[in-house]
Amino acid sequence: MTETTDAMLSQPGGANVLPGPPGESMLVEVRGEGELSTQDMTLNIGPQHPATHGVLRIVIDLDGERIARATPVIGYMHRGFEKLAEARDYRQIIALVNRHDWLSSFCNEMGVVLAVERMMELEVPERADWIRVLMCEWTRILNHLMFVGSFGLELGAITPVFFAFREREDIQHLMESATGGRLHFTYNRVGGLKEDLPRGFLAASEQMVRNVRMRAQEYRDLLQGNEIFIARTRDVGVLDPQTAVSYGVTGPPLHATGVGEDSRVTEPYSKYGSINVPVPVGTNGDSYDRFMILVDRIDASLDIIEQVLGSIPSGPVNVKLPKVVKAPEGAIYVRTENPLGQGGYYLVSDGRKNPWRLKMRTPSFNNIAMVPHLLEGALLSDMIAVLGSVFFVVGDVDR
Amino acid sequence: MMPAVPKIGLLKGLALTLKTMMTPSTTAQYPHVKPDLPPRTRGVIALMEENCTVCMLCARECPDWCIYIDSRKETVPAPGGGGRMRTRNTLDRFAIDFALCMYCGICVDVCPFDALFWSPEFEYSTYSIRELTHEREQLRRWMDTVPPPPPLETGAETPGEIETGLEKAHKEAEAQMAALLAAQQPAAGDEAAGGGGAATTAVEEEPHVEAQVDQEVYDQLTADGVAERVARAKAKAAYVRRERARIKAERAAQG
Amino acid sequence: MESLASTGLLWLDLLLKVVAVVGFFLVVPLVAGYIEHKGLAHMQDRLGPMEAMPHGVGQLIADGIKFIQKEDIIPDAADRWVFALAPGVALVPAIVILTVVPLGPGVFAENLDVGIFFALAVSSVSVIGLLMAGWASANKYSLMGGLRAAAQLIAYELPLVLGAAAVVLQAETLSLVGIVEQQFAFTAFGIPVPYAVPHAIGLALFFVAALAELNRPPFDMPIADSELIAGHMTEYTGLRYAFFMLTEYAGMVVLAALATVLFLGGWYIWPGIAYPAGWPVWLTAIVATGVSVGKIMTLVFLMVWLRATFPRLREDQLQRMSWLVMIPLGLFNIIVIAIAKVVA
């Protein structure tokens, strides 16, 4: 051990544990004096680890198999989105913001485009608004399917992930026929959409809704009643509503605690005010509820899509924009309900074609903040169930 | 706590996996089977050189600055002889660095002359990252893989270019209709319809000519430095025009 | 009954038996591995290996060649000899058990009078191999994996033994060949049935305990790959890792073979249906081996099916299930069988 550690250990009352660089042998904390002292083990989960969704590092102090303290270390995936946005004009920013929460790309684009449109007081054609809602909901289903699959995978159920990805492939093929991309759609433009849907898209959408509904039942069959799954997730990582709200947690983890706060309902944007948005809410706030909320939300999104499919009017999908899109001077904050939670964009413009400041409020950042609270006192194997049920994307955390 | 006896939940899961095992799987065995990609797929960007006027809008709008364009100004004599020399932009180098490209499509959107297109071609990976910068010859070759755009969904507005084309076609069809009706007049009105004869001959059927390359025109164009495809197309057009004029003259001489 | 390979000469006997056992050991676990690849794949709506020989038949052979040509890496901080010997200590017991497992009349290496006792005793030696691997790897994940594995294997030895003990009580012999012969003659209320019928609880206990012994899902917490990477096997590469994998598949085959012999009637299609006496010895041997291997592969398929469907149990739930549920059930099973044996 190093000299600093020896110096720390010689202090009365024990030493503080610092996370050490990977590869160094264990740093220990000696609690108590004399014969009753025990040693905690510091375990580094990540940044490369199959269970963390991406490059997240969690430093865990273990007492046997129980977690005494957990500290997430973020920033490994910081790409400087907000700074990059200051050097790009509004159409280029749409292509960029696809990528911080890469599983909900269309919803990210919506936020930016809504901010610019509200600042410019631009009227979006009806058809474009309805198609935007349709695309948002398909993206939401894509996102939730991913987490349904990966949560089972982390617990050891290796089959639901393949079923979930099969559905994802089908939906991505559908989105590719309209937008050209499977993951990063870049379909929104300021004032509407890039181009209209191809023929057959709405009929294929209807067919896909039926398929996914049938398959959502399969996920319930595989996991909902499964006693082993219930034993692994029931009463694991229980979150109470007050703590959730105080941390700023939004999205499925918040709904699982019983608080049904959803921006599509409280602050409707686009066409969400004209349709019925079901918001499934859980009871316990444990991992099981968080997971079941995801499957329920897939069904809810399918309901929304059915409502939209019957309501798309004909007409144009974009407006004639000036050669260079300039937002007028001022600032605006836009809240949208991204699949992972509430996303916000704070856009400050000084009248030029680049924003002066684009601050992103990303849902995963706050969702991760509650991980230390959830992990205190949990077993190491429960850590996996808890982490998997918090639903974050590291790109969203670090931007 | 784990119950001692497996209840329905566990058995339902087992039944589902067994049922899935019995049904054929959805795997498509690439590379033996190529994927079925929709026409708008953003696989690679293709360049139609003939349309490019080197306005550099694509290079300016690209968020990654991955399009490299070199050009120079050339002076050419005015078409039709006489008058001042015209300056023209000539494309020296047009390269896209696909290692940087993020496939956003802004360059394709922004090009005012329809020189850039999306192609579903995706099998162009290389062993070295430097080879991912593709020059204009390769980009031109990829034009052969660009599919036609799909028809739009019911309720969509037709795009501007198609609308003007449709209007023009409508007008031509109406003119043809009117001429045909006039030609249906009984033969007794022939003399009176003489004045309309000029109109009928105007819409007489164009003789069908098999397109061939007019070698002289082709050689001259290539010597001028026109691109090979364009030269070929123009030579063929010239040949067809000449042949049609010849045939019409023959018919007129006969009839 | 004597082994078919018993010529008069000791050295020839030895050679034939060793070749037969090692040959079986090198081939049949690969078939089990192939069943796992393809079975898992189709249950997950995909195709599995298709490129290595038609329909991926050669996939495991290709894997073996790949493992053999890999660089042998031993971590600096690792305990060299313990690290190097651990895979062997885990693997050799599986081969040794194969010497007593009978696949047909005369199709075995040795007919020990204490067959099942020998098999169960030897199978517990592989726990030491796992502990060695976990400790010598100088890696916190491996250590935790090794400790979890040791705790799990110790906990599930007892239900395994209790399930087998009830069968021994029923058959009144410890010899595996003897158990098959006794099963052949067994009738419950006049109907010939294999031991699986009266010993249904015992079969369930034996099968579940076998899954836990092999670290197979849903009991694969020691090698939970989403938490501990590969548990005790994390630092192993190349041929040593291949040995651990072979231990798992060979263990599946061996324990399935033991279950077949103890509960499913061994090499007889059904108790009471003997092979025609007119058949030559080699024909009976081949058909009987086929029946045995068929039953073994069915049990292997069942193990694969369970892997595809269930998430894994947490190790405290696992331990609770063993000590609080399965061992009492096993004892209860023995009592019931003993009473039935005395009464009937």
Side-chain angles (χ1 to χ4, degrees):
Chain A
M1 298 201 223
T2 60
E3 299 151 356
T4 39
T5 331
D6 283 347
M8 284 193 287
L9 284 177
S10 60
Q11 285 167 16
N16 280 325
V17 177
L18 299 167
E24 194 175 300
S25 50
M26 358 190 249
L27 295 173
V28 299
E29 167 182 342
V30 180
R31 282 188 301 193
E33 317 247 344
E35 311 91 54
L36 290 179
S37 58
T38 57
Q39 289 186 335
D40 274 357
M41 185 166 82
T42 305
L43 192 60
N44 223 339
I45 308 279
Q48 289 160 317
H49 189 93
T52 59
H53 285 272
V55 279
L56 177 71
R57 176 175 166 209
I58 304 183
V59 183
I60 292 185
D61 296 344
L62 280 179
D63 177 15
E65 284 256 350
R66 228 156 247 289
I67 297 176
R69 191 165 56 207
T71 320
V73 178
I74 61 175
Y76 283 91
M77 204 168 181
H78 180 69
R79 292 167 284 176
F81 266 112
E82 300 175 2
K83 187 66 188 171
L84 282 176
E86 291 175 16
R88 290 188 174 40
D89 72 25
Y90 292 104
R91 183 168 41 191
Q92 294 170 333
I93 289 180
I94 296 174
L96 275 187
V97 296
N98 263 331
R99 284 149 221 254
H100 59 80
D101 177 3
W102 50 76
L103 293 174
S104 6
S105 46
F106 194 87
C107 299
N108 300 341
E109 292 171 23
M110 274 282 276
V112 160
V113 151
L114 281 175
V116 179
E117 284 165 6
R118 282 189 199 168
M119 280 185 97
M120 291 173 67
E121 287 170 17
L122 210 54
E123 271 289 316
V124 172
E126 290 278 310
R127 186 177 170 82
D129 241 353
W130 283 103
I131 297 181
R132 274 183 178 175
V133 173
L134 177 67
M135 293 302 198
C136 264
E137 293 307 313
W138 274 128
T139 310
R140 201 177 305 270
I141 294 178
L142 276 178
N143 181 305
H144 289 333
L145 277 173
M146 161 83 202
F147 283 107
V148 161
S150 69
F151 188 52
L153 186 62
E154 285 166 12
L155 289 182
I158 51 182
T159 316
V161 67
F162 286 98
F163 297 166
F165 269 75
R166 176 189 55 195
E167 263 66 83
R168 269 177 62 92
E169 282 294 325
D170 286 337
I171 300 176
Q172 278 174 336
H173 186 86
L174 187 67
M175 300 294 271
E176 199 182 13
S177 68
T179 69
R182 282 153 49 97
L183 204 62
H184 300 306
F185 302 131
T186 323
Y187 194 45
N188 268 314
R189 292 287 186 270
V190 175
L193 298 170
K194 171 178 157 197
E195 52 184 343
D196 211 310
L197 304 169
R199 188 161 305 167
F201 185 87
L202 295 176
S205 255
E206 249 180 283
Q207 178 65 37
M208 193 67 63
V209 165
R210 277 192 291 259
N211 276 355
V212 177
R213 231 188 255 285
M214 188 176 68
R215 292 278 157 68
Q217 187 52 41
E218 276 184 13
Y219 308 138
R220 287 184 213 272
D221 279 344
L222 262 183
L223 289 174
Q224 185 173 24
N226 191 317
E227 280 83 10
I228 303 179
F229 183 76
I230 296 177
R232 282 299 294 276
T233 51
R234 241 305 161 235
D235 295 326
V236 166
V238 178
L239 186 65
D240 59 301
Q242 290 80 16
T243 320
V245 171
S246 76
Y247 271 109
V249 170
T250 51
L254 182 67
H255 295 177
T257 62
V259 179
E261 159 78 26
D262 189 323
S263 305
R264 295 173 291 173
V265 173
T266 52
E267 259 187 69
Y269 53 94
S270 194
K271 283 293 178 227
Y272 282 111
S274 326
I275 52 178
N276 169 37
V277 179
V279 178
V281 157
T283 45
N284 249 344
D286 56 13
S287 294
Y288 181 76
D289 267 354
R290 287 193 281 269
F291 177 77
M292 278 294 125
I293 290 273
L294 274 194
V295 186
D296 288 339
R297 277 163 70 105
I298 294 179
D299 273 329
S301 290
L302 289 170
D303 288 337
I304 297 179
I305 292 179
E306 275 177 348
Q307 290 176 58
V308 169
L309 281 178
S311 330
I312 302 185
S314 40
V317 285
N318 38 31
V319 297
K320 188 110 180 76
L321 290 172
K323 204 94 166 109
V324 179
V325 171
K326 290 190 178 144
E329 273 188 47
I332 193 171
Y333 186 78
V334 168
R335 278 188 199 91
T336 53
E337 183 73 13
N338 287 4
L340 291 180
Q342 188 188 90
Y345 285 92
Y346 181 58
L347 178 60
V348 180
S349 167
D350 59 350
R352 290 187 300 160
K353 66 173 183 165
N354 299 349
W356 175 252
R357 175 88 170 98
L358 178 69
K359 157 99 179 90
M360 306 179 195
R361 188 270 184 203
T362 48
S364 307
F365 187 79
N366 294 65
N367 289 2
I368 288 235
M370 68 166 178
V371 162
H373 169 83
L374 286 178
L375 283 183
E376 249 176 67
L379 286 174
L380 190 59
S381 345
D382 282 341
M383 176 194 74
I384 300 299
V386 166
L387 260 190
S389 71
V390 166
F391 308 136
F392 59 91
V393 169
V394 182
D396 213 23
V397 175
D398 296 334
R399 289 163 247 135
Chain B
M1 260 302 292
M2 175 76 190
V5 179
K7 295 203 207 95
I8 281 297
L10 293 176
L11 295 176
K12 259 208 264 186
L14 284 174
L16 182 61
T17 37
L18 196 63
K19 191 181 77 163
T20 316
M21 195 175 88
M22 300 307 180
T23 49
S25 74
T26 50
T27 313
Q29 285 179 277
Y30 180 84
H32 309 292
V33 168
K34 299 290 178 197
D36 174 27
L37 295 172
R40 286 190 190 169
T41 300
R42 302 202 286 257
V44 79
I45 301 176
L47 170 73
M48 185 84 150
E49 262 184 79
E50 295 82 354
N51 290 359
C52 179
T53 61
V54 205
C55 67
M56 305 246 198
L57 265 172
C58 55
R60 260 181 274 166
E61 292 295 318
C62 175
D64 286 334
W65 307 294
C66 68
I67 301 185
Y68 308 127
I69 300 184
D70 285 339
S71 76
R72 66 195 140 89
K73 281 209 166 51
E74 276 185 354
T75 51
V76 289
R84 60 177 174 92
M85 303 281 271
R86 315 283 183 209
T87 50
R88 197 177 57 186
N89 274 336
T90 316
L91 193 60
D92 273 342
R93 178 183 185 223
F94 188 107
I96 300 184
D97 187 349
F98 284 104
L100 286 176
C101 175
M102 60 171 178
Y103 299 87
C104 62
I106 292 183
C107 57
V108 177
D109 277 354
V110 112
C111 176
F113 300 100
D114 276 348
L116 288 171
F117 292 88
W118 275 117
S119 153
E121 175 66 37
F122 60 92
E123 291 160 311
Y124 51 94
S125 52
T126 58
Y127 283 105
S128 152
I129 209 172
R130 277 182 287 245
E131 293 169 38
L132 275 179
T133 309
H134 287 285
E135 302 292 332
R136 60 183 180 151
E137 292 80 16
Q138 179 57 57
L139 296 174
R140 185 62 182 82
R141 274 194 291 266
W142 271 322
M143 275 306 298
D144 297 333
T145 56
V146 173
L152 292 179
E153 184 64 271
T154 48
E157 255 193 2
T158 31
E161 310 89 340
I162 301 187
E163 273 217 41
T164 39
L166 274 177
E167 273 179 30
K168 191 162 144 208
H170 272 305
K171 283 213 188 82
E172 271 183 26
E174 275 172 27
Q176 267 202 5
M177 210 19 120
L180 265 168
L181 283 173
Q184 297 286 344
Q185 296 289 330
D190 255 356
E191 296 273 324
T200 50
T201 39
V203 290
E204 168 188 289
E205 262 190 38
E206 293 282 352
H208 176 72
V209 177
E210 274 294 330
Q212 285 172 33
V213 172
D214 187 329
Q215 200 55 40
E216 286 174 13
V217 178
Y218 179 74
D219 287 336
Q220 188 187 11
L221 285 173
T222 337
D224 277 347
V226 177
E228 186 248 324
R229 258 187 177 233
V230 177
R232 227 174 337 132
K234 290 200 170 153
K236 279 192 198 166
Y239 173 81
V240 166
R241 245 179 286 136
R242 233 188 35 219
E243 284 300 299
R244 281 200 184 139
R246 192 178 53 78
I247 291 175
K248 276 197 212 149
E250 279 177 16
R251 284 192 195 164
Q254 283 170 0
Chain C
M1 194 181 294
E2 276 231 336
S3 166
L4 279 178
S6 306
T7 62
L9 309 160
L10 178 66
W11 63 269
L12 189 59
D13 261 4
L14 217 53
L15 188 65
L16 283 174
K17 290 177 185 179
V18 164
V19 165
V21 167
V22 173
F24 183 86
F25 175 79
L26 287 178
V27 170
V28 179
L30 292 191
V31 176
Y34 181 73
I35 292 181
E36 169 149 85
H37 273 292
K38 287 303 234 184
L40 262 186
H42 282 279
M43 288 182 195
Q44 293 165 344
D45 206 13
R46 55 186 179 94
L47 285 174
M50 295 289 282
E51 297 288 322
M53 290 167 65
H55 285 278
V57 174
Q59 180 67 37
L60 283 158
I61 305 172
D63 277 344
I65 299 173
K66 177 194 79 165
F67 278 126
I68 291 174
Q69 53 94 40
K70 282 203 171 195
E71 181 183 353
D72 182 23
I73 301 177
I74 300 187
D76 238 357
D79 195 333
R80 286 195 76 88
W81 282 111
V82 178
F83 188 86
L85 287 176
V89 173
L91 186 62
V92 166
I95 309 183
V96 169
I97 300 180
L98 273 178
T99 53
V100 290
V101 165
L103 294 173
V107 187
F108 49 82
E110 278 298 326
N111 179 15
L112 289 182
D113 281 336
V114 292
I116 184 68
F117 177 71
F118 175 78
L120 291 173
V122 169
S123 78
S124 31
V125 173
S126 46
V127 185
I128 304 181
L130 297 192
L131 267 175
M132 286 164 70
W135 182 257
S137 292
N139 179 338
K140 281 179 225 177
Y141 293 116
S142 306
L143 181 62
M144 283 176 23
L147 290 175
R148 283 183 184 177
Q152 180 177 310
L153 268 54
I154 293 171
Y156 280 88
E157 280 290 339
L158 277 167
L160 200 70
V161 167
L162 289 176
V167 170
V168 167
L169 202 60
Q170 181 82 53
E172 296 170 19
T173 169
L174 280 170
S175 146
L176 286 167
V177 177
I179 291 177
V180 175
E181 294 299 337
Q182 286 290 335
Q183 240 185 109
F184 176 70
F186 177 73
T187 58
F189 305 106
I191 313 169
V193 282
Y195 282 161
V197 171
H199 291 256
I201 301 177
L203 175 58
L205 286 178
F206 191 89
F207 190 74
V208 172
L211 282 179
E213 284 289 310
L214 297 165
N215 289 337
R216 290 280 303 177
F219 303 103
D220 66 338
M221 194 44 98
I223 48 172
D225 53 342
S226 53
E227 311 171 27
L228 302 174
I229 323 299
H232 57 277
M233 298 188 281
T234 312
E235 294 288 343
Y236 283 88
T237 58
L239 203 53
R240 297 185 212 279
Y241 183 76
F243 278 177
F244 274 121
M245 289 281 99
L246 197 53
T247 313
E248 178 169 332
Y249 288 125
M252 278 166 78
V253 170
V254 161
L255 282 170
L258 284 177
T260 313
V261 161
L262 290 174
F263 297 97
L264 296 182
W267 62 78
Y268 292 107
I269 297 178
W270 196 260
I273 305 176
Y275 288 106
W279 280 9
V281 168
W282 55 269
L283 185 62
T284 321
I286 290 180
V287 173
T289 311
V291 170
S292 254
V293 172
K295 293 183 188 177
I296 293 176
M297 288 305 160
T298 312
L299 284 178
V300 164
F301 174 76
L302 191 57
M303 293 185 191
V304 169
W305 195 8
L306 288 179
R307 176 181 186 182
T309 317
F310 296 143
R312 62 181 70 98
L313 285 168
R314 218 170 50 206
E315 69 283 8
D316 66 315
Q317 293 166 341
L318 205 153
Q319 297 282 346
R320 231 186 284 256
M321 190 170 100
S322 167
W323 294 101
L324 299 181
V325 173
M326 290 179 66
I327 292 181
L329 262 182
L331 293 171
F332 170 75
N333 186 34
I334 291 187
I335 293 173
V336 165
I337 295 298
I339 294 176
K341 195 90 172 121
V342 164
V343 162

